[in-house]
Amino acid sequence: MLFLLNTAVAQNDDGTLDTSAFDKDVRIQDDLFNHVNGSWLKFTEIPSDKSNYGSFGKLADDSQVRIRQIIEETAKQQHPVGSNAQKIADFYRSFMNEKAVNAKGYSPLNDELAKIRGLKTKAEIWKHFGHLSKIGVGSPVGFFVSQDAGDATQYICQLIQSGTTLPDRDYYLKDDEDSTKVQKALSNYIQTLFDLAGIENSEEAAKQIVALETSLAKISWERVKLRDARKRYNKRSFKELTELTGGEFDWAAYFAANDVAKTPEMVNVNTPSFFAGLAQIIKSTPLETWKHYLQFRLLDSYAGYLSQPFVDARFELYNKTIAGIPVQRPRWKRGVNAIAGAGAGDFGALGEAVGELYVQQYFKPEAKAKMQTLVDNLLTSFGQSIDDLSWMTDETKKRAKGKLSKIGTKIGYPDVWRDYSALTVSADDLFGNVYRSNIVEHQRNINHLGQPIDREEWGMTPQTVNAYYSPTKNEIVFPAAILQAPFFSMDAPDALNYGGIGAVIGHEISHAFDDQGSRYDGDGNLNNWWSEKDQEAFSKLTQQLINQYAAYEPLDGKNVNGKLTLGENIADLSGLTIAYKAFNIANQGKPEVLVAGWNGDQLFFVGWSRVWQRKYRDKEMVKRLLTDPHSPSKYRANGPVTNIKAFYNAFDVKPGDGLFKPEVDRITIW
């Protein structure tokens, strides 16, 4: 569960609050977000290579420049063969040697394309799904290894629906003008890739592939259903898995092609109905259509690492058409992200190797110590909130506090760094570097099978500006890159730190108790520790939050999906609530500090609002409303505060004000 952020309050050199982003024509009681960010919103243009931008984008850009400096400095030198430094340097050299990449065209894919052309039966198609998974290419069978949610002491093979190109099933199934344009763009993209690769009958192949992906979209679960942790837990024996797909396909051959050493006795089938439907689609779809589909999936997965025409074609669909981005990112940015993995969706072939260098330069031990104090205060605050709940029974409160006491914390960077010794990197082989990295990371994942849970493993690199909660490990994780100004500063007033990183910490803790995280116990198992009465009370509260956010309309006729965003909205509301309580804990007995005329309580909420400073392109907003479990930034700023009494007191919010909600309608969950 990721906490996708924009970032927070800036301070002038003299310690006062920089209010240049404020729009003082907007009353804070009517619209906290636009009061604090309105001038910035009016006068800031989204950079031409981005789909959205805000304070977080600026911080991510700054971090990317730091990473570039680290990588380019490394690339200026020669290093022992096999060292992490050699691999970082040569990977970057291979990416930046555009002339060499262009000269190769699509030839690096010749062997893989030949394998697909040589497939002769549906059984071989099924087996090839496993091979493609190993080399980082998607198919209808999504496969990975992770903790068993029914027994979090074990790893298990996970199967989940996959195989479509567009961001959501609705892009295939709706016939409105925007969806139709995207469908046409997908068809054009397929034709372009086939033409570039010299594959005949590209127009007919594109029709077949779009039709096939549409059939996959029809049997795919909607995202709201996919959020449901219990519905995703469907443990099956190998025999039951075979029966689920009609006994038609050799799952043992699939797993063997995935390099799983031993056919698993049990698997978790996240989306059973999809796989039952997939068996019928495979039977009814001609072999040649499947071969066209697999060729496209291969070309699509590696297009960003081939010659410029492939890169341009991929940009046209994913960035320009779907996200509304007019200009491709500079090559150095794409190269840095391919190596370091500092952003969502980036490849990150050597992410922790770069991260180790990053923290040596940019993360101070004293920052980690102060963060631990903040975390401790937030955990104490959450415990007090549980004690104060009026809707929860004492027995369930006891269990909730038991889970809270078991939450682990990771701050800054891993204690044990990833081992990249199995990866071979060449300075003149970009495709090969990516291809081999996919295999190494796949092998790292499946090697978990049969092993103890790796408690040292991180799900993000230290240079990632983000944070997360893991329900099966019951831990909160804060990478080094988020632990800097304006989220967090050793010199900032407590109000700024608690309104910034404090709310981030509170958000992640709250994910342990949101509508899905609360289904896991303190040991990371799906286990109902609620009484029926408490579950009913919780459901009533969450339904109120669903209704609140579903009323928000960021684009005409397009509302926030209150059910899809419920978990993040709970975490925002509860996280901000407990951050404010923790702020009071930290400031007991201390004199009031005024910054730019704001008292501590006011500054806390102003800081929270600046966290969400962000603009979106319309196409990006459309995509996020379909796919993103987070609400748009304006509603992340304004939505929670309408329910928090301290906000009303801080700004004297009264009936008739835009952010006023009658006390009887205010929602307190944690």
Side-chain angles (χ1 to χ4, degrees):
M1 299 179 181
L2 308 186
F3 189 72
L4 300 177
L5 294 164
N6 279 348
T7 151
V9 176
Q11 284 183 273
N12 291 336
D13 291 339
D14 63 357
T16 63
L17 176 65
D18 179 1
T19 59
S20 62
F22 286 31
D23 184 348
K24 297 179 182 178
D25 290 334
V26 177
R27 297 175 68 247
I28 206 165
Q29 297 88 345
D30 293 328
D31 188 340
L32 173 65
F33 177 77
N34 275 292
H35 177 88
V36 173
N37 302 298
S39 292
W40 181 91
L41 292 166
K42 289 177 183 177
F43 299 112
T44 302
E45 292 187 6
I46 299 173
S48 59
D49 64 345
K50 298 183 184 298
S51 64
N52 65 95
Y53 192 66
S55 299
F56 170 68
K58 174 63 165 60
L59 185 59
D61 284 349
D62 292 344
S63 293
Q64 190 175 51
V65 169
R66 289 176 170 181
I67 298 165
R68 180 190 188 183
Q69 291 171 343
I70 290 170
I71 292 174
E72 291 189 344
E73 187 63 34
T74 304
K76 290 177 182 178
Q77 307 167 38
Q78 294 300 317
H79 306 278
V81 175
S83 65
N84 282 350
Q86 175 263 315
K87 293 171 184 179
I88 292 169
D90 283 349
F91 203 120
Y92 191 65
R93 291 180 186 123
S94 73
F95 201 102
M96 297 307 293
N97 191 347
E98 190 172 3
K99 182 178 179 181
V101 174
N102 285 337
K104 293 180 180 179
Y106 70 90
S107 63
L109 285 176
N110 279 340
D111 288 347
E112 290 294 335
L113 289 169
K115 290 176 185 177
I116 296 171
R117 289 194 297 269
L119 299 174
K120 295 181 173 59
T121 65
K122 299 282 184 70
E124 291 180 358
I125 293 288
W126 185 265
K127 181 178 179 180
H128 205 70
F129 288 166
H131 169 72
L132 293 178
S133 175
K134 181 174 66 176
I135 64 171
V137 178
S139 79
V141 183
F143 168 80
F144 59 98
V145 172
S146 67
Q147 282 176 270
D148 184 342
D151 179 4
T153 66
Q154 304 290 323
Y155 288 107
I156 192 171
C157 291
Q158 305 273 359
L159 297 171
I160 193 167
Q161 67 188 38
S162 186
T164 52
T165 302
L166 302 178
D168 188 80
R169 67 196 297 270
D170 280 8
Y171 281 97
Y172 296 91
L173 305 182
K174 290 185 176 181
D175 58 2
D176 58 274
E177 183 179 355
D178 290 339
S179 299
T180 302
K181 285 181 179 178
V182 174
Q183 293 161 18
K184 178 62 176 174
L186 172 59
S187 179
N188 291 339
Y189 175 55
I190 297 168
Q191 291 180 57
T192 300
L193 293 189
F194 274 35
D195 290 342
L196 290 171
I199 301 173
E200 297 180 349
N201 301 318
S202 62
E203 184 176 357
E204 179 58 30
K207 290 180 182 178
Q208 295 172 6
I209 293 166
V210 172
L212 174 55
E213 291 200 3
T214 301
S215 68
L216 295 174
K218 288 178 180 178
I219 63 170
S220 296
W221 289 18
E222 296 179 347
R223 288 179 182 268
V224 171
K225 186 176 180 181
L226 276 172
R227 285 193 67 247
D228 193 313
R230 292 198 184 114
K231 289 180 180 177
R232 290 197 316 272
Y233 190 67
N234 305 284
K235 206 167 179 178
R236 299 286 189 269
S237 68
F238 186 78
K239 179 182 177 182
E240 291 171 329
L241 174 62
T242 302
E243 291 172 349
L244 179 64
T245 50
E248 295 286 335
F249 304 106
D250 188 347
W251 278 102
Y254 170 84
F255 287 115
N258 247 309
D259 281 355
V260 177
K262 181 182 177 182
T263 301
E265 295 180 4
M266 302 292 294
V267 299
N268 182 46
V269 185
N270 284 258
T271 50
S273 62
F274 174 85
F275 286 99
L278 175 61
Q280 299 304 312
I281 291 173
I282 290 179
K283 289 170 64 176
S284 62
T285 302
L287 178 66
E288 287 304 309
T289 299
W290 279 112
K291 291 166 75 170
H292 285 146
Y293 169 82
L294 295 183
Q295 288 175 309
F296 164 62
R297 299 295 291 177
L298 176 69
L299 290 164
D300 175 45
S301 296
Y302 282 95
Y305 310 105
L306 300 176
S307 58
Q308 193 62 42
F310 286 92
V311 174
D312 291 342
R314 198 173 197 282
F315 169 79
E316 186 71 24
L317 175 67
Y318 290 104
N319 300 91
K320 194 170 185 179
T321 301
I322 295 175
I325 302 172
V327 175
Q328 175 69 282
R329 289 180 298 172
R331 192 167 186 89
W332 74 263
K333 287 187 178 181
R334 288 178 278 137
V336 165
N337 289 348
I339 298 166
D346 292 325
F347 186 67
L350 291 154
E352 285 197 11
V354 175
E356 189 171 6
L357 300 175
Y358 178 89
V359 298
Q360 289 173 8
Q361 293 191 39
Y362 298 110
F363 189 63
K364 298 179 180 179
E366 53 265 34
K368 186 170 185 174
K370 187 164 184 177
M371 262 296 293
Q372 189 61 61
T373 299
L374 284 163
V375 170
D376 292 344
N377 284 344
L378 265 294
L379 289 169
T380 299
S381 174
F382 204 102
Q384 292 177 354
S385 287
I386 292 172
D387 288 335
D388 294 340
L389 293 177
S390 60
W391 58 268
M392 181 175 276
T393 61
D394 290 342
E395 183 60 32
T396 304
K397 285 182 182 181
K398 181 179 178 180
R399 293 171 185 161
K401 293 188 74 172
K403 178 175 183 177
L404 181 71
S405 71
K406 292 184 177 182
I407 291 179
T409 304
K410 291 176 178 174
I411 298 172
Y413 55 89
D415 292 327
V416 179
W417 295 100
R418 283 196 177 192
D419 179 4
Y420 293 98
S421 60
L423 176 62
T424 300
V425 175
S426 173
D428 60 359
D429 187 13
L430 173 59
F431 168 82
N433 294 336
V434 176
Y435 183 91
R436 289 185 292 272
S437 181
N438 277 324
I439 294 173
V440 167
E441 292 309 314
H442 175 81
Q443 193 66 47
R444 190 195 308 278
N445 182 241
I446 64 173
N447 283 349
H448 286 125
L449 289 169
Q451 300 299 312
I453 300 303
D454 184 357
R455 297 288 175 183
E456 303 300 329
E457 189 174 43
W458 280 51
M460 288 179 181
T461 62
Q463 61 272 21
T464 302
V465 185
N466 215 319
Y468 69 92
Y469 168 75
S470 168
T472 49
K473 287 186 177 178
N474 193 27
E475 66 179 14
I476 50 178
V477 184
F478 306 98
I482 202 171
L483 307 179
Q484 56 181 312
F487 280 110
F488 170 78
S489 171
M490 295 292 294
D491 302 319
D494 282 343
L496 294 182
N497 278 337
Y498 279 91
I501 199 65
V504 176
I505 297 167
H507 177 105
E508 299 307 337
I509 295 172
S510 299
H511 269 313
F513 302 94
D514 70 17
D515 65 310
Q516 299 304 316
S518 61
R519 294 179 169 185
Y520 297 80
D521 63 23
D523 297 318
N525 298 303
L526 274 175
N527 180 19
N528 184 19
W529 46 272
W530 295 68
S531 72
E532 185 175 343
K533 179 181 179 182
D534 290 310
Q535 191 64 64
E536 289 177 0
F538 184 64
S539 295
K540 288 180 181 178
L541 291 170
T542 58
Q543 185 59 53
Q544 291 177 42
L545 206 62
I546 289 170
N547 295 341
Q548 175 182 335
Y549 281 83
Y552 296 140
E553 187 178 7
L555 294 174
D556 288 344
K558 296 184 183 298
N559 287 59
V560 174
N561 186 333
K563 293 181 179 179
L564 176 63
T565 58
L566 177 59
E568 300 298 334
N569 296 335
I570 292 172
D572 281 346
L573 171 57
S574 301
L576 185 62
T577 300
I578 66 168
Y580 176 75
K581 291 180 179 180
F583 167 58
N584 284 329
I585 292 173
N587 275 272
Q588 286 180 351
K590 293 182 180 179
E592 180 71 84
V593 176
L594 295 179
V595 178
W598 301 94
N599 65 35
D601 282 13
Q602 293 170 331
L603 191 63
F604 174 88
F605 289 108
V606 168
W608 164 255
S609 182
R610 283 294 295 270
V611 164
W612 303 113
Q613 186 183 88
R614 184 187 290 194
K615 297 180 70 170
Y616 306 86
R617 299 189 191 278
D618 284 352
K619 289 182 178 180
E620 175 69 7
M621 179 63 78
V622 170
K623 182 180 77 171
R624 284 175 179 256
L625 291 175
L626 288 173
T627 65
D628 194 347
H630 306 83
S631 296
S633 289
K634 175 180 178 179
Y635 309 112
R636 298 191 74 172
N638 285 349
V641 300
T642 64
N643 298 298
I644 297 176
K645 182 178 181 180
F647 174 74
Y648 288 77
N649 293 339
F651 298 105
D652 194 25
V653 181
K654 297 178 178 179
D657 292 338
L659 294 179
F660 179 84
K661 183 189 288 189
E663 190 168 355
V664 69
D665 295 330
R666 296 174 199 168
I667 307 162
T668 300
I669 298 181
W670 294 103

PDB file of all heavy atoms in Angstrom, residues 28 44 52 78 132 144 184 219 281 360 366 370 434 452 507 510 517 524 534 612 616:
ATOM      1  N   ILE A  28      -9.453  30.132   3.833  1.00  0.00           N
ATOM      2  CA  ILE A  28      -8.995  28.812   4.250  1.00  0.00           C
ATOM      3  C   ILE A  28     -10.149  27.967   4.774  1.00  0.00           C
ATOM      4  O   ILE A  28     -10.155  26.740   4.653  1.00  0.00           O
ATOM      5  CB  ILE A  28      -7.880  28.958   5.314  1.00  0.00           C
ATOM      6  CG1 ILE A  28      -6.963  27.734   5.293  1.00  0.00           C
ATOM      7  CG2 ILE A  28      -8.452  29.204   6.709  1.00  0.00           C
ATOM      8  CD1 ILE A  28      -5.661  27.953   6.027  1.00  0.00           C
ATOM      9  N   THR A  44       1.882  27.998 -12.266  1.00  0.00           N
ATOM     10  CA  THR A  44       2.826  26.917 -12.542  1.00  0.00           C
ATOM     11  C   THR A  44       2.336  26.081 -13.715  1.00  0.00           C
ATOM     12  O   THR A  44       1.177  25.662 -13.751  1.00  0.00           O
ATOM     13  CB  THR A  44       3.009  26.012 -11.307  1.00  0.00           C
ATOM     14  OG1 THR A  44       3.474  26.800 -10.213  1.00  0.00           O
ATOM     15  CG2 THR A  44       4.001  24.893 -11.598  1.00  0.00           C
ATOM     16  N   ASN A  52       1.787  15.071 -14.432  1.00  0.00           N
ATOM     17  CA  ASN A  52       1.323  15.837 -13.283  1.00  0.00           C
ATOM     18  C   ASN A  52       2.557  16.410 -12.611  1.00  0.00           C
ATOM     19  O   ASN A  52       3.684  15.959 -12.844  1.00  0.00           O
ATOM     20  CB  ASN A  52       0.518  14.957 -12.324  1.00  0.00           C
ATOM     21  CG  ASN A  52       1.362  13.867 -11.696  1.00  0.00           C
ATOM     22  OD1 ASN A  52       1.889  14.014 -10.593  1.00  0.00           O
ATOM     23  ND2 ASN A  52       1.514  12.728 -12.381  1.00  0.00           N
ATOM     24  N   GLN A  78      36.899   3.542 -14.124  1.00  0.00           N
ATOM     25  CA  GLN A  78      36.939   2.106 -14.364  1.00  0.00           C
ATOM     26  C   GLN A  78      36.893   1.387 -13.020  1.00  0.00           C
ATOM     27  O   GLN A  78      37.501   1.829 -12.034  1.00  0.00           O
ATOM     28  CB  GLN A  78      38.201   1.724 -15.122  1.00  0.00           C
ATOM     29  CG  GLN A  78      38.267   2.290 -16.534  1.00  0.00           C
ATOM     30  CD  GLN A  78      37.116   1.817 -17.417  1.00  0.00           C
ATOM     31  OE1 GLN A  78      36.754   0.634 -17.408  1.00  0.00           O
ATOM     32  NE2 GLN A  78      36.541   2.750 -18.178  1.00  0.00           N
ATOM     33  N   LEU A 132       7.920 -16.300 -20.692  1.00  0.00           N
ATOM     34  CA  LEU A 132       7.828 -14.843 -20.797  1.00  0.00           C
ATOM     35  C   LEU A 132       7.832 -14.188 -19.421  1.00  0.00           C
ATOM     36  O   LEU A 132       8.422 -13.121 -19.230  1.00  0.00           O
ATOM     37  CB  LEU A 132       6.572 -14.450 -21.575  1.00  0.00           C
ATOM     38  CG  LEU A 132       6.559 -14.829 -23.057  1.00  0.00           C
ATOM     39  CD1 LEU A 132       5.241 -14.422 -23.703  1.00  0.00           C
ATOM     40  CD2 LEU A 132       7.726 -14.188 -23.809  1.00  0.00           C
ATOM     41  N   PHE A 144       3.876 -14.499  -9.422  1.00  0.00           N
ATOM     42  CA  PHE A 144       4.939 -14.021  -8.544  1.00  0.00           C
ATOM     43  C   PHE A 144       4.898 -14.843  -7.264  1.00  0.00           C
ATOM     44  O   PHE A 144       3.963 -15.621  -7.025  1.00  0.00           O
ATOM     45  CB  PHE A 144       4.795 -12.528  -8.230  1.00  0.00           C
ATOM     46  CG  PHE A 144       3.485 -12.155  -7.563  1.00  0.00           C
ATOM     47  CD1 PHE A 144       3.388 -12.000  -6.193  1.00  0.00           C
ATOM     48  CD2 PHE A 144       2.340 -11.938  -8.329  1.00  0.00           C
ATOM     49  CE1 PHE A 144       2.181 -11.656  -5.579  1.00  0.00           C
ATOM     50  CE2 PHE A 144       1.136 -11.586  -7.733  1.00  0.00           C
ATOM     51  CZ  PHE A 144       1.052 -11.447  -6.356  1.00  0.00           C
ATOM     52  N   LYS A 184      -8.180   2.891 -30.460  1.00  0.00           N
ATOM     53  CA  LYS A 184      -7.586   3.092 -31.782  1.00  0.00           C
ATOM     54  C   LYS A 184      -6.082   3.301 -31.664  1.00  0.00           C
ATOM     55  O   LYS A 184      -5.308   2.778 -32.489  1.00  0.00           O
ATOM     56  CB  LYS A 184      -8.242   4.307 -32.453  1.00  0.00           C
ATOM     57  CG  LYS A 184      -7.665   4.646 -33.831  1.00  0.00           C
ATOM     58  CD  LYS A 184      -7.850   3.520 -34.837  1.00  0.00           C
ATOM     59  CE  LYS A 184      -7.360   3.936 -36.216  1.00  0.00           C
ATOM     60  NZ  LYS A 184      -7.401   2.796 -37.186  1.00  0.00           N
ATOM     61  N   ILE A 219     -13.337 -10.626 -18.668  1.00  0.00           N
ATOM     62  CA  ILE A 219     -13.327 -11.599 -17.563  1.00  0.00           C
ATOM     63  C   ILE A 219     -12.465 -11.124 -16.390  1.00  0.00           C
ATOM     64  O   ILE A 219     -12.363 -11.810 -15.385  1.00  0.00           O
ATOM     65  CB  ILE A 219     -12.850 -12.984 -18.045  1.00  0.00           C
ATOM     66  CG1 ILE A 219     -11.406 -12.925 -18.556  1.00  0.00           C
ATOM     67  CG2 ILE A 219     -13.792 -13.550 -19.100  1.00  0.00           C
ATOM     68  CD1 ILE A 219     -10.805 -14.301 -18.823  1.00  0.00           C
ATOM     69  N   ILE A 281     -11.137 -18.934 -23.327  1.00  0.00           N
ATOM     70  CA  ILE A 281     -10.611 -18.013 -24.345  1.00  0.00           C
ATOM     71  C   ILE A 281      -9.455 -18.652 -25.102  1.00  0.00           C
ATOM     72  O   ILE A 281      -9.351 -18.531 -26.335  1.00  0.00           O
ATOM     73  CB  ILE A 281     -10.178 -16.690 -23.684  1.00  0.00           C
ATOM     74  CG1 ILE A 281     -11.400 -15.918 -23.187  1.00  0.00           C
ATOM     75  CG2 ILE A 281      -9.369 -15.831 -24.659  1.00  0.00           C
ATOM     76  CD1 ILE A 281     -11.059 -14.675 -22.380  1.00  0.00           C
ATOM     77  N   GLN A 360      25.011   7.118   1.537  1.00  0.00           N
ATOM     78  CA  GLN A 360      26.321   7.557   2.023  1.00  0.00           C
ATOM     79  C   GLN A 360      26.478   9.067   1.909  1.00  0.00           C
ATOM     80  O   GLN A 360      27.123   9.698   2.752  1.00  0.00           O
ATOM     81  CB  GLN A 360      27.434   6.859   1.236  1.00  0.00           C
ATOM     82  CG  GLN A 360      27.587   5.377   1.552  1.00  0.00           C
ATOM     83  CD  GLN A 360      28.570   4.676   0.633  1.00  0.00           C
ATOM     84  OE1 GLN A 360      29.260   5.310  -0.164  1.00  0.00           O
ATOM     85  NE2 GLN A 360      28.632   3.356   0.728  1.00  0.00           N
ATOM     86  N   GLU A 366      21.645  11.051  12.357  1.00  0.00           N
ATOM     87  CA  GLU A 366      20.799  11.775  13.315  1.00  0.00           C
ATOM     88  C   GLU A 366      19.368  11.951  12.793  1.00  0.00           C
ATOM     89  O   GLU A 366      18.415  12.073  13.567  1.00  0.00           O
ATOM     90  CB  GLU A 366      21.399  13.139  13.668  1.00  0.00           C
ATOM     91  CG  GLU A 366      21.737  14.012  12.485  1.00  0.00           C
ATOM     92  CD  GLU A 366      23.187  13.893  12.043  1.00  0.00           C
ATOM     93  OE1 GLU A 366      23.749  12.775  12.152  1.00  0.00           O
ATOM     94  OE2 GLU A 366      23.749  14.916  11.601  1.00  0.00           O
ATOM     95  N   LYS A 370      15.949  10.912  14.885  1.00  0.00           N
ATOM     96  CA  LYS A 370      14.808  11.796  15.128  1.00  0.00           C
ATOM     97  C   LYS A 370      13.533  11.209  14.524  1.00  0.00           C
ATOM     98  O   LYS A 370      12.452  11.341  15.095  1.00  0.00           O
ATOM     99  CB  LYS A 370      15.071  13.184  14.548  1.00  0.00           C
ATOM    100  CG  LYS A 370      13.981  14.189  14.930  1.00  0.00           C
ATOM    101  CD  LYS A 370      14.413  15.625  14.708  1.00  0.00           C
ATOM    102  CE  LYS A 370      13.341  16.586  15.200  1.00  0.00           C
ATOM    103  NZ  LYS A 370      13.734  18.001  15.069  1.00  0.00           N
ATOM    104  N   VAL A 434      19.072  -5.394 -19.668  1.00  0.00           N
ATOM    105  CA  VAL A 434      17.691  -5.421 -19.186  1.00  0.00           C
ATOM    106  C   VAL A 434      17.172  -6.851 -19.126  1.00  0.00           C
ATOM    107  O   VAL A 434      16.554  -7.269 -18.135  1.00  0.00           O
ATOM    108  CB  VAL A 434      16.792  -4.550 -20.090  1.00  0.00           C
ATOM    109  CG1 VAL A 434      15.336  -4.651 -19.651  1.00  0.00           C
ATOM    110  CG2 VAL A 434      17.247  -3.097 -20.069  1.00  0.00           C
ATOM    111  N   PRO A 452      12.774 -19.220   4.901  1.00  0.00           N
ATOM    112  CA  PRO A 452      12.154 -18.362   5.925  1.00  0.00           C
ATOM    113  C   PRO A 452      11.841 -16.982   5.345  1.00  0.00           C
ATOM    114  O   PRO A 452      12.484 -16.539   4.390  1.00  0.00           O
ATOM    115  CB  PRO A 452      13.228 -18.275   7.010  1.00  0.00           C
ATOM    116  CG  PRO A 452      14.157 -19.418   6.744  1.00  0.00           C
ATOM    117  CD  PRO A 452      14.125 -19.654   5.268  1.00  0.00           C
ATOM    118  N   HIS A 507      -0.283   7.957   8.340  1.00  0.00           N
ATOM    119  CA  HIS A 507      -0.956   7.322   7.206  1.00  0.00           C
ATOM    120  C   HIS A 507      -0.570   5.850   7.116  1.00  0.00           C
ATOM    121  O   HIS A 507      -1.432   4.978   6.979  1.00  0.00           O
ATOM    122  CB  HIS A 507      -0.577   8.061   5.925  1.00  0.00           C
ATOM    123  CG  HIS A 507      -1.147   7.480   4.669  1.00  0.00           C
ATOM    124  ND1 HIS A 507      -2.198   8.049   3.990  1.00  0.00           N
ATOM    125  CD2 HIS A 507      -0.802   6.388   3.950  1.00  0.00           C
ATOM    126  CE1 HIS A 507      -2.472   7.332   2.927  1.00  0.00           C
ATOM    127  NE2 HIS A 507      -1.631   6.310   2.872  1.00  0.00           N
ATOM    128  N   SER A 510      -1.932   3.765   9.882  1.00  0.00           N
ATOM    129  CA  SER A 510      -3.378   3.607   9.713  1.00  0.00           C
ATOM    130  C   SER A 510      -3.726   2.546   8.682  1.00  0.00           C
ATOM    131  O   SER A 510      -4.807   1.947   8.749  1.00  0.00           O
ATOM    132  CB  SER A 510      -4.009   4.952   9.319  1.00  0.00           C
ATOM    133  OG  SER A 510      -3.808   5.922  10.328  1.00  0.00           O
ATOM    134  N   GLY A 517      -6.358  -3.622   5.519  1.00  0.00           N
ATOM    135  CA  GLY A 517      -5.296  -3.926   6.467  1.00  0.00           C
ATOM    136  C   GLY A 517      -5.825  -4.482   7.768  1.00  0.00           C
ATOM    137  O   GLY A 517      -5.172  -5.320   8.424  1.00  0.00           O
ATOM    138  N   GLY A 524       0.497 -10.847  10.539  1.00  0.00           N
ATOM    139  CA  GLY A 524       0.419 -10.761   9.091  1.00  0.00           C
ATOM    140  C   GLY A 524      -0.504 -11.765   8.432  1.00  0.00           C
ATOM    141  O   GLY A 524      -0.482 -11.921   7.206  1.00  0.00           O
ATOM    142  N   ASP A 534     -18.475  -4.895  16.261  1.00  0.00           N
ATOM    143  CA  ASP A 534     -17.460  -3.913  15.862  1.00  0.00           C
ATOM    144  C   ASP A 534     -17.342  -3.828  14.348  1.00  0.00           C
ATOM    145  O   ASP A 534     -17.139  -2.743  13.787  1.00  0.00           O
ATOM    146  CB  ASP A 534     -16.106  -4.282  16.470  1.00  0.00           C
ATOM    147  CG  ASP A 534     -16.070  -4.073  17.971  1.00  0.00           C
ATOM    148  OD1 ASP A 534     -16.465  -2.988  18.416  1.00  0.00           O
ATOM    149  OD2 ASP A 534     -15.669  -4.993  18.694  1.00  0.00           O
ATOM    150  N   TRP A 612       0.045  18.304  -0.488  1.00  0.00           N
ATOM    151  CA  TRP A 612      -0.737  17.844  -1.645  1.00  0.00           C
ATOM    152  C   TRP A 612      -0.710  18.811  -2.816  1.00  0.00           C
ATOM    153  O   TRP A 612      -1.546  18.724  -3.717  1.00  0.00           O
ATOM    154  CB  TRP A 612      -2.167  17.562  -1.200  1.00  0.00           C
ATOM    155  CG  TRP A 612      -2.146  16.557  -0.109  1.00  0.00           C
ATOM    156  CD1 TRP A 612      -2.490  16.734   1.195  1.00  0.00           C
ATOM    157  CD2 TRP A 612      -1.657  15.223  -0.213  1.00  0.00           C
ATOM    158  NE1 TRP A 612      -2.260  15.596   1.908  1.00  0.00           N
ATOM    159  CE2 TRP A 612      -1.745  14.647   1.063  1.00  0.00           C
ATOM    160  CE3 TRP A 612      -1.149  14.454  -1.269  1.00  0.00           C
ATOM    161  CZ2 TRP A 612      -1.346  13.344   1.318  1.00  0.00           C
ATOM    162  CZ3 TRP A 612      -0.746  13.152  -1.009  1.00  0.00           C
ATOM    163  CH2 TRP A 612      -0.855  12.613   0.265  1.00  0.00           C
ATOM    164  N   TYR A 616      -2.658  18.190 -12.442  1.00  0.00           N
ATOM    165  CA  TYR A 616      -2.739  17.031 -13.325  1.00  0.00           C
ATOM    166  C   TYR A 616      -3.156  17.464 -14.733  1.00  0.00           C
ATOM    167  O   TYR A 616      -3.971  18.380 -14.888  1.00  0.00           O
ATOM    168  CB  TYR A 616      -3.812  16.043 -12.845  1.00  0.00           C
ATOM    169  CG  TYR A 616      -3.706  15.564 -11.428  1.00  0.00           C
ATOM    170  CD1 TYR A 616      -4.260  16.294 -10.372  1.00  0.00           C
ATOM    171  CD2 TYR A 616      -3.099  14.344 -11.127  1.00  0.00           C
ATOM    172  CE1 TYR A 616      -4.200  15.831  -9.072  1.00  0.00           C
ATOM    173  CE2 TYR A 616      -3.036  13.875  -9.827  1.00  0.00           C
ATOM    174  CZ  TYR A 616      -3.591  14.622  -8.804  1.00  0.00           C
ATOM    175  OH  TYR A 616      -3.533  14.159  -7.513  1.00  0.00           O
TER     176      TYR A 616
END
